[in-house]
Amino acid sequence: MAMNSQGRPTAATGGSDGTQFESFSGHVGLRLAEPLIFELGTTETTGVDFEDTSDLELSCGGLERKSEIGCPGLAEPDTVRHYTRLSRRNYGIDMGVFPLGSCTMKHNPRLNEKMARLPGFGDIHPLAPKGTVQGAYQLMDELSHWLMTLTGMPAVALSPKAGAHGELCGVMAIRAALEARGDAREVVLCPESAHGTNPATAAFCGYKVKSIPAKDNGRVDLEALKAALDDTVAAVMITNPNTCGLFENEVREIADEIHKAGAFFYCDGANFNAIVGKARPGDLGVDAMHINLHKTFSTPHGGGGPGSGPVVFSDALKDFVPVPYVVKTDGGFDIVEDQTGKSFGRLTAFQGQMGMYVRALSYMLSHGSDGLKQASEDAVLNANYVLASLKDVMSASYEGPCMHEALFDDRFLKDTGVTTLDFAKAMIDEGYHPMTMYFPLVVHGAMLIEPTESESKTNMDQFIRSMRGLAEAAKAGEVERFEGAPYHAPWSRLDETQAARQPILRFAAE
Ligand SMILES: *Cc1c(COP(=O)(O)O)cnc(C)c1O
């Protein structure tokens, strides 16, 4: 079986006389080549000894599988090596600067991990008798309290498992509220700069999505919004601060117009890290907002663990929140599981991501209200430091200071032959995870940089030096540095067009 070696560098850097040579092993120094597990394992090998089951009576009623499963098998040491080798290829927030805009890749404090592993939290089961998990319910109640306090909103649903899932929760509550008043509406408005999950959520809930344009200053065009608002509009989904890293400073007028039209204001709260302790969405007229605990409140992200996207609700929507939720009773805490009254139902099998709740509350309590506010201030300060340090060599998309992320576009690369993609790949050679690219869509060749409050000035200065170096190299015509980049990564440039057009989503043995 041939190993797919597209993009895999095979030559070591060279002998002392400058000649290139290939290693006999396919490894490049201690950077070990690693095939797919399907290429490595065989269906004949297994890491465990199973008992002979041939004389067992089958109890599947004839539904038992007749063919081989075809899973590759490996001995235990080979399995350990396979995953250890792969894990060393990972780039994460624990490795270096991770400036992925809109994602708030902040440090995950180890205290949170310690708390989440306490047996009383880590080893409980969602079906454990209520009397045995009172502490867990109390923790959920306290987390709810903090989320409501920080947002100035009277209700919260903890169970959604990501930001996008929170959007679904919010829009379903809006739909339930509209239906309860016998007012079927069919349109959801989203600004052009919206994250793709906003229109996707609205469409998934059966709404027609209409786009509202932005003004030259990167903010929602209030006049265009007013013109689009009528009695067919169910909700307007706005991100604040928005995905251009700018605060929507007409947000109160926006909220008033939305409410005047009888619609609801859904706020995408992914960028809450810029304003925690500084502004409360409830005071800005928001009706529902998700909070990405894995962004703002430091719980791990992506490969690091499951997300969690609680949604806070205004008075107008609070009766429609999904079950389950925790309530305080005379004797302790109880969990409301049955759909009664106006709740639109249930979004998840159980109570949500308990481990994330523990981490988020640990983060909140260890920071305190002053610390949370300072984290936001430092996040905004760091982003402005990056913006101010790069705007003479890269093109900042908008005038003036930013919130917690700095948006650049590709005007500074004009006529260089270098694209945003090339620039991002060259960052990998510099030892950085690329920034968010080509999002938001409102500017050409977007580069969205979010350093978060975690980065020290030393780290940012090194990052800025690399970014300035790359920008100057591009302008000096050093196209080769970019077009084949990354040169020093375990995998060099892949054919992304082919990967998108002809994705191979299943391994097929030849
Ligand atoms: C991250 C993000 C989302 C989606 O959140 P997930 O937790 O990834 O589902 C939505 N909107 C914006 C602006 C985001 O940055």
Side-chain angles (χ1 to χ4, degrees):
M1 196 181 300
M3 195 159 90
N4 174 5
S5 59
Q6 193 200 341
R8 190 196 300 269
T10 50
T13 0
S16 50
D17 59 353
T19 52
Q20 292 280 320
F21 58 85
E22 273 186 31
S23 63
F24 299 109
S25 60
H27 302 314
V28 181
L30 296 182
R31 208 166 67 200
L32 304 176
E34 192 59 16
L36 297 177
I37 198 160
F38 294 97
E39 295 164 314
L40 215 52
T42 70
T43 50
E44 284 79 50
T45 315
T46 157
V48 281
D49 285 332
F50 289 115
E51 299 218 3
D52 182 10
T53 55
S54 49
D55 59 349
L56 282 187
E57 204 181 313
L58 294 169
S59 55
C60 301
L63 292 175
E64 61 276 355
R65 175 177 199 110
K66 304 278 183 320
S67 57
E68 295 286 329
I69 294 180
C71 283
L74 288 177
E76 183 174 310
D78 298 321
T79 310
V80 170
R81 281 189 184 157
H82 176 70
Y83 288 107
T84 305
R85 287 173 178 183
L86 291 183
S87 74
R88 292 183 61 175
R89 301 276 167 90
N90 251 352
Y91 187 92
I93 188 65
D94 293 345
M95 295 268 287
V97 178
F98 208 129
L100 199 60
S102 209
C103 293
T104 312
M105 305 299 292
K106 65 168 75 178
H107 172 64
N108 310 134
R110 291 304 179 267
L111 176 67
N112 305 352
E113 297 302 317
K114 194 172 165 189
M115 295 301 111
R117 283 167 178 71
L118 290 175
F121 295 129
D123 293 348
I124 55 175
H125 190 278
L127 294 177
K130 289 177 185 176
T132 66
V133 288
Q134 284 292 303
Y137 290 165
Q138 182 176 354
L139 182 135
M140 290 165 72
D141 188 63
E142 262 177 53
L143 176 67
S144 301
H145 168 78
W146 273 82
L147 293 173
M148 292 187 291
T149 304
L150 291 169
T151 55
M153 307 278 277
V156 61
L158 289 184
S159 67
K161 294 192 177 178
H165 202 204
E167 292 173 36
L168 180 66
C169 173
V171 174
M172 285 176 79
I174 289 170
R175 164 154 243 158
L178 287 167
E179 280 171 2
R181 72 178 195 216
D183 187 7
R185 294 181 172 220
E186 63 208 31
V187 175
V188 167
L189 302 176
C190 297
E192 283 173 335
S193 59
H195 192 267
T197 49
N198 296 184
T201 297
F204 187 77
C205 291
Y207 289 108
K208 247 185 265 162
V209 180
K210 287 193 188 160
S211 171
I212 344 167
K215 283 186 301 195
D216 289 347
N217 68 3
R219 284 144 176 115
V220 169
D221 185 335
L222 183 59
E223 292 312 313
L225 173 68
K226 277 193 209 168
L229 275 167
D230 58 26
D231 63 5
T232 65
V233 176
V236 184
M237 299 179 84
I238 289 179
T239 311
N240 195 22
N242 69 23
T243 61
C244 302
L246 303 169
F247 193 78
E248 291 286 353
N249 37 24
E250 290 181 312
V251 62
R252 292 295 302 268
E253 290 86 340
I254 290 174
D256 289 345
E257 292 300 328
I258 294 171
H259 293 144
K260 238 194 281 172
F264 290 97
F265 180 1
Y266 186 89
C267 182
D268 179 330
N271 293 338
F272 194 39
N273 201 48
I275 59 170
V276 176
K278 307 293 285 182
R280 301 189 311 165
D283 298 333
L284 306 178
V286 168
D287 291 303
M289 180 179 99
H290 72 259
I291 299 159
N292 310 61
L293 296 185
H294 46 289
K295 294 180 182 173
T296 308
F297 297 107
S298 86
T299 71
H301 244 106
S308 183
V311 184
V312 286
F313 290 100
S314 67
D315 274 322
L317 291 177
K318 72 174 193 301
D319 294 340
F320 302 93
V321 298
V323 289
Y325 49 86
V326 173
V327 288
K328 208 169 180 171
T329 61
D330 291 341
F333 296 89
D334 198 3
I335 192 143
V336 177
E337 296 266 11
D338 300 324
Q339 184 186 352
T340 48
K342 301 172 180 168
S343 162
F344 71 75
R346 161 184 285 280
L347 278 169
T348 64
F350 297 114
Q351 293 89 330
Q353 307 285 26
M354 187 65 202
M356 298 300 122
Y357 303 159
V358 181
R359 288 174 175 88
L361 187 67
S362 166
Y363 178 85
M364 291 170 173
L365 294 179
S366 55
H367 279 67
S369 56
D370 56 337
L372 291 175
K373 182 170 160 211
Q374 191 191 334
S376 292
E377 288 171 350
D378 291 349
V380 173
L381 182 65
N382 278 1
N384 277 285
Y385 184 62
V386 169
L387 177 64
S389 305
L390 292 177
K391 68 178 179 191
D392 61 326
V393 289
M394 291 171 65
S395 27
S397 299
Y398 298 103
E399 294 267 314
C402 59
M403 295 298 288
H404 69 317
E405 50 194 352
L407 179 62
F408 298 91
D409 53 49
D410 63 3
R411 282 170 297 158
F412 75 103
L413 295 175
K414 190 165 184 288
D415 301 328
T416 60
V418 175
T419 64
T420 290
L421 178 73
D422 299 330
F423 197 90
K425 297 293 184 194
M427 285 171 71
I428 298 174
D429 284 333
E430 296 290 321
Y432 292 109
H433 190 286
M435 71 270 142
T436 289
M437 46 173 189
Y438 300 107
F439 173 78
L441 304 176
V442 277
V443 298
H444 197 269
M447 304 182 195
L448 185 62
I449 301 176
E450 180 180 0
T452 83
E453 69 277 13
S454 308
E455 295 308 334
S456 66
K457 181 162 179 300
T458 310
N459 291 345
M460 281 194 300
D461 284 336
Q462 281 173 356
F463 173 74
I464 288 163
R465 207 173 309 133
S466 286
M467 294 294 277
R468 291 188 69 86
L470 290 176
E472 279 156 11
K475 287 179 194 172
E478 290 178 34
V479 185
E480 320 79 71
R481 183 189 274 276
F482 296 91
E483 63 189 4
Y487 296 100
H488 304 309
W491 296 86
S492 58
R493 188 83 66 103
L494 298 171
D495 184 344
E496 296 190 9
T497 311
Q498 193 192 341
R501 298 272 157 82
Q502 295 168 306
I504 301 168
L505 303 176
R506 243 186 105 119
F507 181 82
E510 282 150 44

